[in-house]
Amino acid sequence: MTAQEGDEKRREEAQYWPRTLISESEGTNFSVFTIAIHERETHYKKKTLHFTEVKPRDAGNYTCEAKNVDGKVFSRQVTVHVIDKIEWSSNEERVGGLVGEPLTVDCGAKASPEPQIQITSDGGEPLDDHMFTIAGSEISVSSLTKDYNGLKINCVALQILDDLDTTSTAQRTVAIDVWFTPEFEKEKIDRHTILERTAILPCNVTESNPPARHFNFFRNNQLLTDEKKYQQVMDVVENAAYLKVFDVQPEDLGEYHCEVNNGRAKATQIINLKEANPPEELKVAIGPVKKHGIVWEITTNPNDKLPVEKIEIQAIREEILLEEKERGEEDEEKIWHAKASTFHRSIVDSGLYDVGSLRADTKYVFRFRAESEAGYGPRITISAVTNEEANEKPAPDSSSPFTLTLALLATLIPLLI
């Protein structure tokens, strides 16, 4: 039996009950013990001699004695050979470098006898000779690219023990880490804002290795640290951050620099803050009226210079709005904030927006406004009544007399707030 120093080994003897396990080595060795078990199919009792960690002192002859049911004693001798442990020249599990840098992986190993080195991919296949150069026990890359990131190399050291008619092997896997500067979808972006409002300047990293961990915002080469004027928020999971600029004034317009550092390299994105007007008033028409919902046909203004990203829709029962006012609440915005349901709907090509979960045969007050990068546009307010029955009422035709009847049920009162 051959074992490499430091390995965990077991020697099993079956069919007979081992009465004694005797070592010719002197002294007590607590790293060697026996385990008694029953075999699964034959149910024979057997014991296993277990080495928790093979040491040079464990080399020698071991005798197993067993007695059958007739009292006959059987013995067998096992010789344990302890060979030198294979020592790797490097024990690194990961090696890395920046994009464009050279890289060398050392698969060298020492032992007696000297081991042979075999180098393969993680799947046991030969390495691509267009990507790697193998010279002896070393693998080299002339210039790293992202294609190498995450690749694994298997280093196998093989000892041929002719005198013992066996071999000894050791394996080590090395992963390649390719580092590169943080990257953005665009190196320069524009953001728009309305004066005297808060502007948000995003800094989103699309790819980085290692992940981006440090974000800083600069203006005119000065780090922005005034907490009364600026607030920096970082999202480590998303590799992103953004800067809030409070109460934007004309002098706050212009270029901002977002510097991102991943510990290996850094990159900068330029954010140009520009003044823009908010969206114009929406054009809103009532669509099909249902028992528990109303469909609205909403059109944005074609004169908007910035695209409208979302439509804000608020709904409140008219009786609640009137009750709160009767209680003395003069600030209507507080009532809407506390009592109304608010929806932010993304723009859809159809222009139809269904507001559901409403009470049947109930008068509601709705508010609508457009949202773009520059902020919110003016609100338009419309009152409408849901159906008493489940039957859906179609959208009214402006040329039909039904429009007059609907006007009594749905009071359309555009109101700019």
Side-chain angles (χ1 to χ4, degrees):
M1 178 181 177
T2 304
Q4 191 178 100
E5 183 182 344
D7 285 351
E8 182 178 301
K9 290 290 183 181
R10 295 189 302 177
R11 180 65 191 178
E12 298 180 353
E13 299 294 338
Q15 295 186 348
Y16 299 100
W17 177 260
R19 184 179 58 191
T20 313
L21 284 164
I22 304 171
S23 170
E24 293 183 359
S25 313
E26 294 183 359
T28 303
N29 185 355
F30 295 104
S31 65
V32 182
F33 57 89
T34 58
I35 301 174
I37 61 173
H38 285 81
E39 284 193 320
R40 179 176 297 178
E41 296 181 0
T42 64
H43 299 289
Y44 285 126
K45 296 177 181 179
K46 73 173 183 180
K47 283 187 177 180
T48 300
L49 181 63
H50 188 97
F51 296 82
T52 57
E53 186 178 358
V54 177
K55 300 289 185 181
R57 67 185 182 187
D58 295 322
N61 297 322
Y62 292 79
T63 301
C64 173
E65 293 185 353
K67 182 174 67 174
N68 65 9
V69 294
D70 297 327
K72 186 177 180 179
V73 176
F74 299 84
S75 66
R76 181 181 179 186
Q77 190 175 78
V78 178
T79 302
V80 175
H81 301 272
V82 180
I83 61 175
D84 290 340
K85 184 178 182 179
I86 296 176
E87 298 287 346
W88 294 104
S89 301
S90 171
N91 291 315
E92 290 181 309
E93 295 181 354
R94 302 188 73 88
V95 295
L98 287 167
V99 168
E101 291 184 342
L103 180 73
T104 299
V105 179
D106 187 359
C107 282
K110 295 181 180 180
S112 180
E114 184 176 350
Q116 300 177 9
I117 303 299
Q118 297 177 352
I119 302 171
T120 67
S121 68
D122 186 36
E125 300 294 327
L127 295 179
D128 187 342
D129 55 9
H130 292 95
M131 299 180 68
F132 300 95
T133 300
I134 300 178
S137 60
E138 289 187 344
I139 312 101
S140 61
V141 177
S142 59
S143 179
L144 285 172
T145 66
K146 290 183 181 179
D147 295 334
Y148 290 91
N149 192 43
L151 294 182
K152 294 182 179 180
I153 295 174
N154 276 344
C155 304
V156 179
L158 174 66
Q159 283 181 296
I160 300 176
L161 308 171
D162 293 324
D163 54 336
L164 301 176
D165 193 27
T166 188
T167 59
S168 176
T169 60
Q171 180 175 311
R172 167 174 162 253
T173 300
V174 183
I176 297 178
D177 214 355
V178 180
W179 308 313
F180 49 88
T181 59
E183 298 177 357
F184 311 97
E185 184 176 350
K186 294 181 180 179
E187 293 185 359
K188 187 173 184 178
I189 61 173
D190 293 332
R191 294 296 293 176
H192 298 82
T193 188
I194 301 171
L195 293 181
E196 299 182 355
R197 294 190 184 180
T198 298
I200 296 179
L201 309 183
C203 186
N204 300 322
V205 175
T206 56
E207 196 173 10
S208 176
N209 190 35
R213 289 293 180 265
H214 304 284
F215 290 79
N216 288 302
F217 287 87
F218 295 84
R219 180 165 168 79
N220 299 325
N221 296 321
Q222 297 295 318
L223 180 64
L224 302 178
T225 58
D226 184 355
E227 295 182 357
K228 294 182 180 180
K229 184 66 179 179
Y230 308 103
Q231 180 186 6
Q232 179 178 320
V233 180
M234 187 171 69
D235 188 338
V236 175
V237 175
E238 296 296 331
N239 268 357
Y242 61 86
L243 178 72
K244 284 186 177 181
V245 184
F246 302 116
D247 188 26
V248 175
Q249 299 298 319
E251 59 269 22
D252 295 319
L253 302 175
E255 286 191 353
Y256 291 76
H257 289 207
C258 173
E259 183 184 88
V260 184
N261 193 325
N262 63 11
R264 297 288 180 177
K266 62 183 179 180
T268 300
Q269 184 181 48
I270 299 174
I271 308 168
N272 191 16
L273 181 60
K274 297 181 177 181
E275 181 183 2
N277 294 322
E280 298 291 337
E281 180 185 292
L282 295 168
K283 181 180 179 181
V284 181
I286 193 167
V289 179
K290 299 176 287 186
K291 184 177 181 180
H292 296 292
I294 298 176
V295 177
W296 297 94
E297 184 177 344
I298 303 175
T299 306
T300 60
N301 195 309
N303 295 325
D304 288 331
K305 293 184 179 180
L306 294 176
V308 173
E309 299 171 347
K310 291 182 181 296
I311 302 291
E312 182 190 80
I313 305 174
Q314 292 181 293
I316 187 172
R317 298 206 313 273
E318 187 183 61
E319 61 177 330
I320 293 178
L321 191 60
L322 296 176
E323 286 174 0
E324 292 295 324
K325 288 182 178 181
E326 290 175 357
R327 290 175 182 173
E329 179 56 69
E330 297 180 355
D331 190 343
E332 189 170 317
E333 283 303 315
K334 287 185 177 180
I335 302 174
W336 281 91
H337 180 75
K339 302 295 183 178
S341 298
T342 302
F343 311 92
H344 293 272
R345 300 289 176 82
S346 298
I347 295 296
V348 295
D349 294 337
S350 67
L352 299 178
Y353 301 85
D354 190 352
V355 179
S357 301
L358 305 179
R359 287 189 179 185
D361 192 27
T362 303
K363 190 173 184 178
Y364 281 85
V365 181
F366 295 85
R367 298 201 307 186
F368 307 85
R369 63 176 176 174
E371 178 184 356
S372 73
E373 182 187 314
Y376 290 101
R379 284 194 175 97
I380 180 172
T381 302
I382 298 177
S383 297
V385 180
T386 53
N387 279 353
E388 183 178 359
E389 303 297 333
N391 297 331
E392 182 177 304
K393 293 181 181 178
D397 185 345
S398 59
S399 62
S400 168
F402 180 69
T403 304
L404 297 176
T405 303
L406 178 65
L408 298 175
L409 298 176
T411 306
L412 308 182
I413 311 172
L415 179 62
L416 299 180
I417 296 178

